[in-house]
Amino acid sequence: MKDIKKALFMKEAASGKGHNILVEICIAVLLFFIGSTAMGFIQVPAIIAYLLSNKDYMSMIMTGRLDTQKMLSVMSDMPEWIMIVMLFAEILLTVIVLFYCRFFEKRKLSTLGFVKKGMFKQYVLGLLAGAAAFSVVYLICVITGSVKCSGIATDIIPLYITGYFLGYMLQGMAEEVLCRGYLMVSLSRRYHVTLAIVASSLFFAFLHSANSGLSPLAYLNLFLFGVFASLLLLDFGNIWIAGAFHSVWNFVQGNVYGVQVSGMKVSNSILSTSYTNGMEIINGGSFGMEGGLSVSFVFLAGIIMLSYHLYKKGDIVDLQELEGVNGGSSSTISVTERGINITGMDSITSSEDNTNAPDIKNVNNADYNNYNSPDEINADNIIINKDADVLDGDIIKNNNLNSGINAKETDTENNNVQKTAFNQDYFKN
């Protein structure tokens, strides 16, 4: 059975104890509920302002007669500035999740994938990839005749287009922070990465249960999107590319090509698109193209490509090998603020047969910094901490290959003790 290695920022998150899967999902639901409530403080005043300016609504209020059909019409015809305000309010969901992780779980923001190195490049790459991916979806629909492009729309309002773009940049990242940055990474602290991907992707799909036009195929595509975004996060080692892909994916389908975004109709777009009746299986119908086979094909292809790339990098391995590297009985080493930690050495410290095992004691920062050469790091200067964060065994292995194993044999009665030196510059970096 195969599994995926954790990205470096996920290993950093693993230094804290993870919760049970049900607890993690409940926390994610609670964060979503709190975030939605906080967003309401921005969205509700905007909706009230719209209703007070609507003649039909005010007429019903003045006469005291509530017409259900007319009320539904009023709510469905909300101006686009209301939708833009709602998108901007999504930033509060991001703030809520980051606040919880930082102050309740004591996690650094980098453990959610907010890696500083190359973040601008990765974000731009995500924007380009998201736009290209949906363009392929749209092209499939055009070739199959399931949609028809009528050319440039005549009622474009550039200010609204700009507002939607900025709003989707916040909305897409908010969903990635909750579903991937928080939930997937949190689950990976206690469970296999594959399970974390599946659970977080299902959670992402069910978050859209209230959207109009939802179908079983739309649920499947939302799940596939979650798997694709998770693999993107793992392959590139940061959340920037996944957030940018998600954001521009929504913007392009709604405000460039003029199709529904997960059931939400956007009237202000650059191109004008019409659907062909009877071809809903491909174009997605009222849910938008995310409810059709064209999106299924693109995301399945994307999942295969990312999986192959992870496999070629050696990040997809047998489960037993992965457990041997990240845990189990093998010895692994990590560097903390207190010094060098070794985990997985129970057999050395507890076995009665290891009478010649070296003494183990603490190494503090001053001692470590005073080492001038690898020879000075010996078995007498190592601490054992069973709960220590664990670096990937391949890092240690590669470091040994690059820096060499400095082994000295000491004559004892029956045992030869091998001392292994590590490149201190690697750990400092």
Side-chain angles (χ1 to χ4, degrees):
M1 186 176 178
K2 302 286 185 179
D3 196 28
I4 307 172
K5 291 182 180 180
K6 298 176 184 177
L8 289 177
F9 73 88
M10 296 172 72
K11 293 173 185 176
E12 184 182 3
S15 61
K17 294 182 179 179
H19 305 295
N20 178 278
I21 185 170
L22 294 178
V23 174
E24 293 287 12
I25 292 176
C26 287
I27 292 174
V29 171
L30 182 61
L31 291 174
F32 177 75
F33 175 77
I34 295 174
S36 300
T37 303
M39 287 187 285
F41 287 105
I42 296 177
Q43 296 169 347
V44 171
I47 294 174
I48 292 175
Y50 157 66
L51 293 176
L52 293 177
S53 64
N54 185 277
K55 295 180 179 180
D56 292 334
Y57 176 79
M58 292 305 297
S59 176
M60 287 187 288
I61 294 297
M62 297 299 293
T63 59
R65 296 179 180 179
L66 180 62
D67 188 328
T68 304
Q69 292 296 326
K70 187 177 289 186
M71 189 63 190
L72 290 174
S73 177
V74 168
M75 295 303 295
S76 62
D77 292 336
M78 285 192 296
E80 290 191 84
W81 67 266
I82 295 287
M83 302 303 300
I84 294 173
V85 168
M86 290 182 174
L87 291 175
F88 271 85
E90 293 276 352
I91 193 174
L92 294 178
L93 177 60
T94 301
V95 172
I96 294 293
V97 176
L98 297 183
F99 180 85
Y100 169 78
C101 290
R102 188 68 185 92
F103 294 99
F104 286 85
E105 295 202 349
K106 307 300 181 183
R107 287 169 54 180
K108 296 179 180 179
L109 299 187
S110 58
T111 63
L112 284 84
F114 288 102
V115 180
K116 292 181 180 180
K117 184 178 180 180
M119 63 180 186
F120 178 77
K121 179 181 177 181
Q122 295 297 327
Y123 197 84
V124 172
L125 181 60
L127 293 177
L128 295 175
F134 192 82
S135 296
V136 172
V137 171
Y138 190 80
L139 182 61
I140 292 172
C141 290
V142 171
I143 292 175
T144 57
S146 58
V147 300
K148 181 180 179 180
C149 180
S150 304
I152 304 296
T154 58
D155 55 350
I156 302 175
I157 303 177
L159 183 60
Y160 279 171
I161 297 293
T162 303
Y164 271 115
F165 177 80
L166 297 175
Y168 277 125
M169 295 304 106
L170 300 176
Q171 180 265 342
M173 181 60 79
E175 292 188 3
E176 290 305 308
V177 168
L178 175 64
C179 298
R180 255 68 68 180
Y182 172 72
L183 184 56
M184 187 193 78
V185 174
S186 295
L187 289 172
S188 71
R189 295 184 297 179
R190 189 167 178 174
Y191 302 96
H192 297 309
V193 174
T194 301
L195 176 61
I197 291 174
V198 172
S200 60
S201 298
L202 287 172
F203 177 80
F204 172 76
F206 281 102
L207 280 184
H208 296 77
S209 296
N211 294 30
S212 61
L214 196 64
S215 65
L217 183 55
Y219 265 124
L220 174 62
N221 286 340
L222 289 167
F223 172 78
L224 292 177
F225 182 94
V227 174
F228 174 82
S230 299
L231 294 177
L232 204 60
L233 196 74
L234 288 163
D235 196 11
F236 289 88
N238 66 82
I239 200 171
W240 299 109
I241 189 169
F245 186 100
H246 191 155
S247 298
V248 82
W249 170 273
N250 288 344
F251 171 75
V252 167
Q253 64 179 316
N255 300 103
V256 175
Y257 292 111
V259 301
Q260 292 93 326
V261 182
S262 301
M264 183 183 73
K265 186 176 181 180
V266 179
S267 59
N268 206 287
S269 62
I270 297 174
L271 298 177
S272 180
T273 300
S274 59
Y275 281 44
T276 302
N277 293 330
M279 301 287 285
E280 289 80 11
I281 190 64
I282 298 176
N283 60 39
S286 60
F287 190 74
M289 292 182 183
E290 290 177 345
L293 288 176
S294 55
V295 166
S296 305
F297 172 79
V298 168
F299 281 133
L300 283 173
I303 290 170
I304 292 172
M305 290 173 60
L306 288 174
S307 299
Y308 178 75
H309 191 241
L310 286 166
Y311 175 78
K312 292 295 289 184
K313 291 196 305 180
D315 288 342
I316 296 181
V317 297
D318 290 331
L319 195 57
Q320 291 181 346
E321 178 184 346
L322 191 64
E323 290 175 345
V325 169
N326 287 335
S329 60
S330 65
S331 300
T332 52
I333 296 180
S334 66
V335 176
T336 69
E337 295 178 354
R338 296 178 296 169
I340 304 173
N341 297 332
I342 285 188
T343 61
M345 292 186 62
D346 293 358
S347 60
I348 293 178
T349 58
S350 61
S351 175
E352 295 180 358
D353 295 332
N354 289 315
T355 56
N356 294 322
D359 294 331
I360 307 299
K361 51 190 177 183
N362 290 336
V363 178
N364 57 33
N365 287 333
D367 292 335
Y368 177 71
N369 291 331
N370 288 332
Y371 289 136
N372 294 319
S373 67
D375 292 337
E376 295 180 51
I377 303 177
N378 54 53
D380 293 334
N381 297 95
I382 296 177
I383 63 172
I384 291 181
N385 182 352
K386 294 181 180 179
D387 295 325
D389 184 17
V390 179
L391 288 176
D392 196 313
D394 286 345
I395 294 177
I396 302 301
K397 180 174 66 178
N398 292 335
N399 184 63
N400 286 338
L401 292 174
N402 293 332
S403 62
I405 298 179
N406 217 353
K408 295 182 179 180
E409 296 184 356
T410 58
D411 294 331
T412 60
E413 293 180 354
N414 297 314
N415 295 301
N416 291 327
V417 179
Q418 186 182 46
K419 298 179 180 180
T420 303
F422 298 93
N423 188 337
Q424 69 178 36
D425 291 333
Y426 175 85
F427 288 112
K428 287 180 180 180
N429 292 332

